[in-house]
């Protein structure tokens, strides 16, 4: 084989070539644009090398939005293909690649990044800290995620996309049935970005446990901080399982081992088990921060303290523990026997209890509240009923014996989209709108935002409700087409129409960002929503060091009680502030991992060895580097604070 | 940098305390990693296909030597940290040096062990059992290799910069790592080798 043959796409089509041209043009446009406007210096020193948690959060946000549209394009293609029976828009092979990348991109590179974005931006501000515990490690986390995502996304133009589903079950994902390098991309891209996620987990647990403002005991933390703490504990214990599973999968594919094969003692079910031991907690890694955001938004816009603070915390801890005990429900039909299935049925149904407690707590918070129907609040109010429908159908799926009827049908697809979209995507858009003024210094337009909300909320229902029916009628998921006599046509057509509604909604969000950037008034106050937690006690835009004086906290609604009850937040005199220096090392190490991953995918071993040495060399360089950060003198701080708007 | 004189040097600054807690959490993740490897090992241990079984390839002598070497190295690094707290740089360097030498000897015996397995027909590709055996031992061994380079780098920094809050912090964290690898080895010794030879 010619060396360059391996980079060819196995089944090229016109869309692939168009994508190649589009990617090339985008890269050229970015490079030319930065050169023409002389922004290289600015981009490098202010963004690419930054260790500021707020800027890292914004970079995560941009990446997540791009990935949302990448995954969304996949979704529209799937709905278009299945909109009518016997459609020939996409072939079976292309359809496999598209549903695989849709799942991976949306879960790993969109939802995770969106959560990281909001955690990075809000958590240090909410606990009254100046940065995270390990700012440079935080930058490394972002760049590992970024380059992992890039590695995954070049697969469809170089070498071929993965096509064995986002769960990548063996033996289907083994070399016998998946011969292209696509699944190698899956294994290595997830490995790299997973490492970044693990480092974030360590970073945020340390930050939340050790860097809270004086007086903020654990039970006085804002609910989003609690949700982030619990989530990061799940990350630390769940992601190593994925690391091991991916390493074994990589070895099976590239070194010919027999972990998941069906011969020589290999065990394909081991992959399914390991994948879901990570995969189910992963679901809660996504949903718990969303719950935290909803708690913040509900108490802000109902103008009431969160109902049942303690029970909220206990429920989240219970969910996090139970999340590790339910993984078998993803494969009830794969031969465990009645006893095992029954146990996992029960643990799965038990999770509905703490989740239900949280739903009722939100409802009780709303009761007698002076509800203000802002965009973040609309998403929150939309979330409650739609998520409940998704959740209750989840309990139906949890009944092992009944699950044999609708396992792997569109019913399942409807269920998990109706929990993930209102659960995670709504929360992310709500959180984005909520924290937007703190991030960028202006508000998003409410009118366009509300239009977008109604398109998205109705779009979700129209897209996924019909799948319950077609699923119960027997339409299997992941089938690229079906015959007219099945009668699935009408339901899929309705889904397609709903998907177009979603598309309009997301385009409206982008238009809103554009419109508000141009026309929204600047010079807004530091606390435009009349909110309750510490991030709103900072001036807008937030200075590099967040707080000129570290606040003292006396209650769980620190900023609210400061405004309404006259509690004092800032009691100490201004002192010089120690801040970490920017560093180019995180992006360089990230790039090293990209080269490493790419060479590994194609088995170019000399490059793998060189890039491994390069990565370790960077670590050694970092260890020997003398970098004690810098101090911001008092004079500079007071100049900044004159623009502050809180007092 | 504020230095709190009432605490040992490695705990004396805020960043040092954060580093140590962060590393403990990292060790939590490492427990999950090795836990997964052990679980997979127990799943695959009897799935030998047409390859050899555990009892056929394991030999007790090299494993006992490895165990003794690693246990002593854990003891010497403990002495090294003790010397560090007394401010005795030379003694500390000697103890760290012996730790790394013992680690290197451990590695040599383990590589010898691997060669023996391969000669007895148990290669990485032979069966599910051999794949997980080499992966579990190899992950531990790779951690030791990484530790050797890391330890050398720390010794170099201590020789160059002396016992500062930064270098002692690094040395202390390294000692946590090394003890952790020892604990993992004890599990490997008990549940892989002893159980496999019974």
């Amino acid at each position: 084989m010619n060396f360059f043959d391996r980079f060819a796409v196995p089944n090229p089509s016109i869309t692939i070539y168009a994508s190649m041209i589009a990617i090339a043009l985008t890269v050229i446009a970015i490079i030319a644009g930065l050169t023409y406007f002389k922004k290289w210096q600015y981009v490098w020193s202010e963004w690419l090398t930054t260790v500021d948690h707020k800027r890292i959060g914004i970079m995560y946000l941009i990446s997540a939005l791009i990935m949302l549209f990448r995954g969304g394009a996949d979704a529209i293609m799937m709905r278009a293909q299945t909109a009518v029976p016997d459609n020939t828009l996409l072939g079976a092979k292309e359809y496999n690649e598209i549903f695989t990348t849709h799942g991976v991109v949306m879960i790993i590179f969109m939802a995770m990044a969106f959560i990281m974005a909001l955690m990075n931006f809000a958590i240090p501000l909410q606990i009254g800290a100046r940065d995270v515990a390990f700012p440079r490690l935080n930058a490394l986390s972002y760049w590992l995620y970024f380059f992992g995502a890039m590695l995954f996304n070049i697969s469809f133009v170089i070498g071929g996309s993965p096509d064995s589903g986002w769960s990548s079950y063996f033996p289907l994902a083994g070399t016998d049935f998946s011969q292209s390098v696509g699944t190698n991309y899956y294994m290595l891209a997830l490995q790299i970005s997973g490492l970044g996620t693990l480092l974030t987990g360590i970073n945020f647990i340390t930050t939340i446990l050790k860097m809270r403002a004086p007086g903020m005991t654990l039970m006085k933390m804002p609910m989003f901080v609690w949700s982030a703490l619990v989530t990061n504990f799940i990350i630390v214990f769940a992601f190593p399982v994925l690391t091991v599973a991916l390493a074994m999968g990589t070895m099976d594919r590239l070194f010919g081992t027999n972990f998941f094969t069906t011969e020589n003692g290999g065990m394909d079910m081991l992959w399914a088990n390991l994948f879901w031991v990570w995969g189910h907690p992963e679901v809660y890694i996504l949903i718990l921060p969303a719950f935290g955001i909803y708690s913040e938004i509900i108490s802000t816009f109902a103008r009431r303290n969160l109902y049942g603070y303690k029970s909220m915390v206990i429920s989240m801890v219970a969910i996090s523990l139970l999340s590790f005990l339910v993984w078998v429900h993803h494969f009830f039909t794969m031969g465990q026997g009645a006893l095992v299935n029954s146990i996992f049925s029960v643990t799965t149904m038990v999770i509905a209890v703490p989740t239900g407690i949280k739903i009722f707590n939100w409802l009780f918070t709303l009761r007698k509240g002076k509800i203000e129907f802002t965009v973040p609040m609309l998403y929150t109010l939309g979330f409650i009923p739609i998520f409940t429908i998704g959740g209750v159908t989840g309990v139906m799926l949890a009944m092992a014996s009944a699950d044999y009827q609708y396992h792997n049908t569109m019913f399942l697809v409807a269920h998990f989209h109706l929990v993930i979209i209102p659960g995670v995507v709504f929360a992310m858009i709500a959180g984005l709108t909520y924290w937007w003024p703190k991030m960028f210094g202006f508000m998003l337009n409410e009118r366009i935002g509300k239009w977008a909300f109604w398109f998205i909320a109705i779009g979700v229902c129209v897209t996924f409700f019909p799948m319950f029916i077609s699923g119960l009628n027997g339409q299997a998921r992941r089938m690229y087409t079906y015959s007219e006599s099945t009668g699935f046509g009408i339901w899929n057509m309705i889904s397609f129409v709903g998907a177009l509604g979603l598309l309009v909604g997301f385009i409206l969000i982008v238009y809103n960002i554009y419109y508000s950037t141009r026309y929204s008034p600047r010079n807004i106050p530091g606390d435009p929503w009349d909110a309750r937690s510490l991030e709103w006690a900072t001036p807008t835009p937030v200075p590099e060091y967040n707080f000129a004086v570290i606040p003292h906290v006396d209650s769980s609604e620190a900023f609210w009680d400061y405004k309404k009850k006259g509690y004092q937040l800032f009691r100490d005199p201004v002192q010089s502030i120690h801040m970490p220096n920017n560093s180019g090392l995180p992006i360089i190490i990230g790039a090293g991992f990209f080269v490493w991953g790419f060479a590994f995918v194609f088995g170019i071993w000399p490059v793998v060895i060189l890039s491994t040495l390069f990565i370790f060399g960077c670590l050694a360089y970092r260890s020997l580097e003398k970098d004690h950060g810098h101090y911001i003198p008092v004079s500079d701080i007071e100049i900044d604070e004159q623009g502050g708007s809180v007092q | 940098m504020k230095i709190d004189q009432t605490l040992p040097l490695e705990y004396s600054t805020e960043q040092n305390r954060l580093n140590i807690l962060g590393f403990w959490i990292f060790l939590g993740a490492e427990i999950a990693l090795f836990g997964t490897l052990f679980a997979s090992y127990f799943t695959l241990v009897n799935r030998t296909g047409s390859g050899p079984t555990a009892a056929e390839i394991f030999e007790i002598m090299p494993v006992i030597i490895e165990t003794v070497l690693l246990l002593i190295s854990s003891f010497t690094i403990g002495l090294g940290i003790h010397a560090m707290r007394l401010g005795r740089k030379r003694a500390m360097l000697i103890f760290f040096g012996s730790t790394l030498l013992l680690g290197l000897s451990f590695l040599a015996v383990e590589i010898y062990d691997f060669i023996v397995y391969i000669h007895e027909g148990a290669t990485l590709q032979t069966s599910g059992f051999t794949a997980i055996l080499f992966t579990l031992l190899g992950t531990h061994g790779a951690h030791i290799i990484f530790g050797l380079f890391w330890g050398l780098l720390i010794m170099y920094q201590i020789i160059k910069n002396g016992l500062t809050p930064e270098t002692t912090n690094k040395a202390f964290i390294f000692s946590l790592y090394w003890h952790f690898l020892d604990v993992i080895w004890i599990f490997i010794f008990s549940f892989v080798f002893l159980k496999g030879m019974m």
Side-chain angles (χ1 to χ4, degrees):
Chain A
M1 183 171 74
N2 186 325
F3 180 78
F4 289 101
D5 287 350
R6 69 184 79 196
F7 301 121
V9 182
N11 52 338
S13 66
I14 194 80
T15 46
I16 303 264
Y17 290 124
S19 312
M20 285 180 185
I21 293 166
I23 290 172
L25 287 179
T26 313
V27 171
I28 292 168
I30 291 172
I31 292 173
L34 287 176
T35 312
Y36 181 77
F37 292 107
K38 297 193 172 57
K39 289 288 186 190
W40 279 108
Q41 179 66 32
Y42 166 77
V43 169
W44 176 258
S45 57
E46 297 289 315
W47 291 94
L48 301 186
T49 60
T50 189
V51 293
D52 182 338
H53 69 94
K54 301 180 287 296
R55 294 195 166 194
I56 291 172
I58 289 169
M59 290 195 293
Y60 267 119
L61 185 68
I62 295 167
S63 315
L65 285 173
I66 293 170
M67 287 297 124
L68 177 69
F69 281 89
R70 158 76 160 95
D74 288 339
I76 290 288
M77 283 194 276
M78 283 191 280
R79 288 295 103 224
Q81 161 65 24
T82 51
V84 288
D86 298 315
N87 199 354
T88 53
L89 184 67
L90 300 170
K93 176 87 175 152
E94 283 169 294
Y95 193 79
N96 289 348
E97 293 179 352
I98 287 170
F99 74 65
T100 303
T101 49
H102 169 74
V104 177
V105 164
M106 284 301 202
I107 299 274
I108 308 279
F109 300 125
M110 187 282 285
M112 286 298 281
F114 229 133
I115 280 162
M116 295 299 169
L118 298 179
M119 283 202 314
N120 262 290
F121 185 81
I123 295 293
L125 291 170
Q126 288 200 325
I127 62 173
R130 292 199 167 118
D131 209 324
V132 292
F134 312 112
R136 205 176 276 199
L137 193 67
N138 199 25
L140 179 62
S141 289
Y142 171 73
W143 289 111
L144 287 177
Y145 152 74
F146 176 84
F147 283 108
M150 287 300 110
L151 186 64
F152 189 82
N153 277 289
I154 59 166
S155 66
F156 78 110
V157 289
I158 305 176
S161 288
D163 57 359
S164 43
W166 90 280
S167 48
S168 210
Y169 278 167
F170 283 81
L172 175 63
T175 39
D176 288 348
F177 300 101
S178 299
Q179 283 148 356
S180 85
V181 294
T183 306
N184 297 355
Y185 271 115
Y186 170 97
M187 298 284 161
L188 286 146
L190 262 61
Q191 189 71 282
I192 292 170
S193 68
L195 182 60
T197 308
L198 175 65
L199 297 178
T200 303
I202 294 168
N203 210 339
F204 274 83
I205 294 175
T206 315
T207 307
I208 295 171
L209 288 181
K210 297 285 269 192
M211 293 175 73
R212 298 190 307 278
M216 186 183 280
T217 57
L218 283 176
M219 293 311 268
K220 285 180 186 156
M221 296 196 302
M223 197 48 65
F224 182 52
V225 179
W226 254 115
S227 70
L229 180 64
V230 175
T231 298
N232 283 301
F233 269 105
I234 306 180
I235 286 178
V236 165
F237 289 104
F239 266 77
V241 183
L242 179 70
T243 303
V244 171
L246 291 172
M248 291 174 173
T250 311
M251 287 167 75
D252 263 13
R253 290 187 54 85
L254 284 160
F255 304 148
T257 53
N258 287 297
F259 285 109
F260 308 130
T261 57
T262 46
E263 55 199 4
N264 293 324
M267 191 185 199
D268 45 2
M269 280 308 291
L270 182 62
W271 167 269
N273 278 282
L274 292 179
F275 181 85
W276 288 114
V277 169
W278 162 78
H280 201 86
E282 165 68 19
V283 176
Y284 290 94
I285 293 170
L286 298 177
I287 200 74
L288 287 178
F291 286 172
I293 293 169
Y294 288 134
S295 302
E296 301 286 319
I297 289 173
I298 284 185
S299 61
T300 299
F301 295 107
R303 310 275 169 236
R304 296 193 67 209
N305 286 7
L306 191 64
Y307 184 92
Y309 183 99
K310 271 187 195 163
S311 62
M312 283 294 205
V313 173
I314 294 167
S315 322
M316 282 197 292
V317 174
I319 289 174
S320 73
L321 296 176
L322 285 170
S323 73
F324 282 93
L325 301 173
V326 298
W327 77 90
V328 172
H329 72 214
H330 293 272
F331 43 87
F332 277 145
T333 56
M334 283 152 80
Q336 285 78 225
L339 178 66
V340 171
N341 274 359
S342 310
I343 291 170
F344 282 91
S345 246
V346 171
T347 54
T348 306
M349 285 186 252
V350 167
I351 283 204
V353 176
T355 315
I357 290 174
K358 295 183 75 70
I359 298 267
F360 280 106
N361 280 339
W362 289 316
L363 293 178
F364 282 127
T365 311
L366 289 171
R367 185 170 169 268
K368 289 189 178 173
K370 294 196 202 84
I371 298 172
E372 208 182 324
F373 291 94
T374 57
V375 171
M377 191 62 167
L378 280 180
Y379 280 105
T380 310
L381 296 176
F383 145 79
I384 293 175
I386 305 175
F387 180 83
T388 307
I389 292 169
V392 168
T393 49
V395 178
M396 287 171 69
L397 284 155
M399 292 182 276
S401 40
D403 184 59
Y404 276 76
Q405 181 62 34
Y406 34 64
H407 178 80
N408 265 358
T409 62
M410 295 306 276
F411 187 88
L412 169 77
V413 177
H415 152 68
F416 70 72
H417 282 93
L418 284 172
V419 287
I420 287 188
I421 294 179
V424 184
V425 180
F426 279 24
M428 296 308 131
I429 305 170
L432 177 70
T433 318
Y434 181 63
W435 280 305
W436 187 275
K438 202 62 356 190
M439 289 179 182
F440 299 105
F442 58 91
M443 314 275 284
L444 286 176
N445 184 290
E446 282 280 302
R447 212 176 119 79
I448 306 173
K450 282 177 186 167
W451 274 102
F453 165 75
W454 287 110
F455 269 102
I456 289 175
I458 295 170
V460 166
C461 298
V462 175
T463 311
F464 295 105
F465 286 174
M467 293 184 191
F468 283 129
I469 300 166
S470 65
L472 287 179
N473 282 345
Q475 187 186 0
R477 69 193 289 212
R478 292 173 173 169
M479 297 294 287
Y480 83 106
T481 194
Y482 51 89
S483 68
E484 200 178 346
S485 58
T486 55
F488 301 147
I490 177 69
W491 306 118
N492 285 281
M493 180 47 90
I494 297 172
S495 275
F496 177 57
V497 172
L500 293 178
L502 280 170
L503 179 68
V504 173
F506 285 111
I507 289 173
L508 278 175
I509 288 177
V510 175
Y511 175 69
N512 194 4
I513 292 174
Y514 162 78
Y515 179 89
S516 309
T517 309
R518 283 197 71 166
Y519 301 113
S520 266
R522 302 308 200 262
N523 300 326
I524 52 161
D527 176 28
W529 304 113
D530 194 15
R532 312 172 82 86
S533 44
L534 284 177
E535 73 269 33
W536 305 102
T538 58
T540 298
V542 189
E544 179 198 355
Y545 45 78
N546 295 353
F547 298 92
V549 175
I550 294 294
H552 281 258
V553 174
D554 296 302
S555 68
S556 65
E557 312 266 336
F559 185 55
W560 183 256
D561 291 341
Y562 157 80
K563 288 188 290 189
K564 304 291 162 173
K565 297 186 189 160
Y567 287 30
Q568 246 351 82
L569 276 182
F570 303 106
R571 304 170 194 174
D572 304 322
V574 178
Q575 288 176 327
S576 66
I577 296 171
H578 179 246
M579 294 302 288
N581 289 334
N582 285 357
S583 166
L585 216 47
I587 185 173
I588 292 171
I589 295 179
F593 266 100
F594 180 81
V595 174
W596 176 82
F598 186 80
F600 218 119
V601 165
F602 291 97
I604 309 169
W605 304 117
V607 182
V608 172
I609 294 166
L610 284 178
S611 50
T612 309
L613 292 176
F614 174 78
I615 291 164
F616 283 115
C618 288
L619 295 184
Y621 176 84
R622 165 68 179 132
S623 178
L624 297 168
E625 195 181 17
K626 280 203 173 56
D627 180 5
H628 298 293
H630 61 277
Y631 280 91
I632 300 174
V634 175
S635 50
D636 288 3
I637 298 166
E638 278 164 348
I639 293 165
D640 277 0
E641 286 308 276
Q642 283 168 2
S645 46
V646 172
Q647 284 83 14
Chain B
M1 194 167 12
K2 266 186 296 195
I3 297 180
D4 185 344
Q5 302 297 348
T6 61
L7 292 168
L9 264 186
E10 70 267 20
Y11 278 100
S12 60
T13 68
E14 179 63 27
Q15 189 62 47
N16 277 4
R17 291 192 286 275
L18 292 179
N19 291 350
I20 291 171
L21 177 69
F23 198 79
W24 274 109
I25 298 165
F26 171 74
L27 289 183
E30 287 272 57
I31 289 173
L33 182 102
F34 279 102
T36 311
L37 285 170
F38 275 109
S40 307
Y41 180 82
F42 298 141
T43 310
L44 294 173
V45 63
N46 293 320
R47 302 180 68 93
T48 51
S50 51
T53 64
E56 283 165 21
I57 57 170
F58 288 166
E59 287 175 50
I60 190 73
M61 231 14 236
V63 177
I64 287 183
I65 295 171
E66 285 166 68
T67 308
V68 170
L69 288 171
L70 211 56
L71 283 176
I72 298 175
S73 81
S74 215
F75 180 62
T76 53
I77 201 165
L79 292 175
I81 295 299
H82 191 64
M84 181 181 90
R85 289 210 170 141
L86 297 174
R88 295 175 62 180
K89 181 176 151 185
R90 225 180 97 79
M92 178 204 171
L93 284 172
I94 291 170
F95 283 126
F96 264 61
S98 355
T99 305
L100 297 185
L101 278 178
L102 287 162
L104 191 66
S105 331
F106 165 87
L107 212 58
V109 183
E110 185 164 54
I111 290 169
Y112 163 80
D113 241 0
F114 277 18
I115 292 170
V116 170
Y117 298 159
I118 290 167
H119 276 292
E120 289 175 19
T123 67
L124 186 63
Q125 287 85 4
T126 307
S127 66
F129 160 68
T130 60
I132 187 64
L133 177 72
F134 280 111
T135 305
L136 174 58
L137 298 180
T139 307
H140 179 265
H143 275 75
I144 298 272
I145 295 174
F146 179 76
L148 293 180
F149 286 104
W150 186 11
L152 275 179
L153 208 60
I154 286 170
M155 284 176 67
Y156 167 76
Q157 290 180 45
I158 286 174
I159 292 167
K160 205 169 136 221
N161 306 330
L163 299 177
T164 66
E166 267 193 7
T167 55
T168 52
N169 188 238
K170 288 179 181 182
F172 181 75
I173 286 173
F174 176 69
S175 79
L176 293 180
Y177 177 80
W178 200 264
H179 287 308
F180 170 77
L181 292 184
D182 202 23
V183 172
I184 294 297
W185 180 260
I186 288 169
F187 278 87
I188 292 178
F189 178 71
S190 318
F191 294 106
V192 174
F193 290 112
L194 288 189
K195 195 164 168 286
M197 276 178 280
M198 270 191 314

